[in-house]
Amino acid sequence: MSYETLIVEIPSAGVTVIRLNRPEALNALNAQLLGELATALDVAEVDDSVRCLVLTGSDRAFAAGADIKEMSDKSYAQMFATDMFGPVGRRMEHFRKPIIAAVSGFALGGGCELAMLCDFIIASETARFGQPEINLGVMPGIGGTQRLPRAVGKSKAMDMILTARMMDAAEAERAGLVSRVVPADKLIEEAVAAAVKIAGQSPLAVMMNKELVNAAFETTLATGVRMERRLFHSLFAFEDQKEGMAAFIDKRKPAFTGK
Ligand code: CO8
């Protein structure tokens, strides 16, 4: 599959890196890029050899938001009918394999929201996060008003969304928006290393762990803990559980098969 606005690479078995590639517009998310990203996600979802994705941009920008030039003259009817971000948003919300966002430079507006749709964010020291839509007379529209407060708390989310100020990588790490900050020249190396580690685990256990952490944002504590207990028990139906525990006892590396 070839794309005009994405570069897709397989740096290591089981790991696919999807790089947003519209350098002339700081990777602004236009209809073509979003369509291609939806296709790339569909390809990765059904390919059993893909165990973990890394979504990244350039050194200068992960993505500077939705494409303002493409969007500016649209009518309400056009925005409603095309549902521009719906297909990618829904795919990412329901994607069963892990997606790591590797963010360098600007992650603004829809770019910040795209990063938050991933399972965790690794940031380079140059990363800057923001929801500056208020400057345009609009608001976040791909989940920012909901995911940012869950990630960083109400006060900081309100501050960022109402004042449009950007957060640097150190603040984003302190606030819990990103899992770790790494030197800019090590960003892809670190993100791919994390993806390789995940790709080597039992894919079944990975999917269940991901499902349960996401459930923490949707359910009560009691329901979430009950779901966790049931899924923990169910893992004992898989060969991978036997292999993982036998390998520990035998002092060897496990060879998970996804069965
Ligand atoms: N859309 C289109 N083009 C963009 C965008 C964008 N979001 N961001 C940057 N560009 C373009 C610039 O227009 C410029 O193009 P040109 O060279 O042709 O003039 C090029 O990229 C380089 O940008 P700058 O010259 O501005 O670079 P600077 O380093 O001076 O500034 C900034 C970088 C600070 C990132 C600046 O470009 C900026 O403020 N960009 C806009 C950020 C923004 O407002 N993002 C939010 C967009 S709205 C949004 O994301 C809503 C999402 C929800 C939609 C849901 C719909 C259902």
Side-chain angles (χ1 to χ4, degrees):
M1 188 72 70
S2 74
Y3 305 97
E4 284 179 24
T5 62
L6 304 178
I7 298 169
V8 178
E9 288 167 340
I10 300 171
S12 178
V15 176
T16 296
V17 175
I18 300 177
R19 184 182 290 279
L20 309 180
N21 187 38
R22 288 191 72 213
E24 71 286 359
L26 301 183
N27 292 332
L29 310 168
N30 67 357
Q32 183 185 12
L33 184 150
L34 290 165
E36 292 188 354
L37 184 53
T39 303
L41 290 169
D42 285 346
V43 169
E45 177 90 273
V46 298
D47 183 344
D48 285 342
S49 71
V50 179
R51 297 284 177 85
C52 187
L53 298 187
V54 174
L55 183 61
T56 194
S58 65
D59 289 348
R60 196 166 163 219
F62 177 74
D67 192 313
I68 301 166
K69 294 167 189 168
E70 188 181 68
M71 207 167 36
S72 62
D73 289 331
K74 292 242 194 290
S75 66
Y76 173 45
Q78 285 170 318
M79 289 301 280
F80 182 71
T82 52
D83 188 23
M84 224 172 124
F85 293 89
V88 164
R90 282 190 291 277
R91 273 172 180 79
M92 291 184 72
E93 280 161 355
H94 297 289
F95 204 76
R96 298 182 80 197
K97 303 172 188 181
I99 309 177
I100 303 170
V103 174
S104 192
F106 297 110
L108 302 178
C112 185
E113 295 171 289
L114 190 61
M116 288 191 290
L117 274 161
C118 296
D119 294 302
F120 62 97
I121 302 172
I122 299 180
S124 93
E125 288 160 345
T126 65
R128 302 190 71 191
F129 298 87
Q131 295 291 164
E133 289 92 338
I134 193 90
N135 287 339
L136 304 167
V138 293
M139 64 192 293
I142 325 173
T145 61
Q146 304 306 300
R147 291 196 179 90
L148 192 61
R150 282 169 168 80
V152 305
K154 175 182 168 183
S155 189
K156 206 175 271 286
M158 205 64 102
D159 177 5
M160 288 177 70
I161 288 171
L162 298 184
T163 70
R165 82 169 174 88
M166 291 185 212
M167 202 190 262
D168 66 17
E171 184 180 1
E173 188 182 26
R174 279 198 308 276
L177 179 61
V178 310
S179 69
R180 42 180 140 151
V181 178
V182 299
D185 61 349
K186 294 270 185 296
L187 177 67
I188 289 301
E189 194 180 315
E190 295 273 349
V192 168
V196 166
K197 181 84 184 151
I198 292 168
Q201 311 286 13
S202 162
L204 305 169
V206 166
M207 280 195 283
M208 283 198 188
N209 276 277
K210 168 172 166 154
E211 189 182 328
L212 261 294
V213 174
N214 282 330
F217 295 94
E218 306 280 350
T219 63
T220 63
L221 178 62
T223 303
V225 169
R226 206 159 40 239
M227 282 171 67
E228 182 194 79
R229 187 126 345 123
R230 291 291 167 267
L231 287 188
F232 186 90
H233 295 158
S234 77
L235 284 164
F236 283 68
F238 297 144
E239 289 174 20
D240 280 348
Q241 173 268 326
K242 300 287 173 288
E243 168 61 13
M245 293 194 179
F248 173 80
I249 293 163
D250 298 346
K251 299 188 188 301
R252 62 177 171 81
K253 208 169 168 296
F256 294 117
T257 58
K259 291 184 182 149

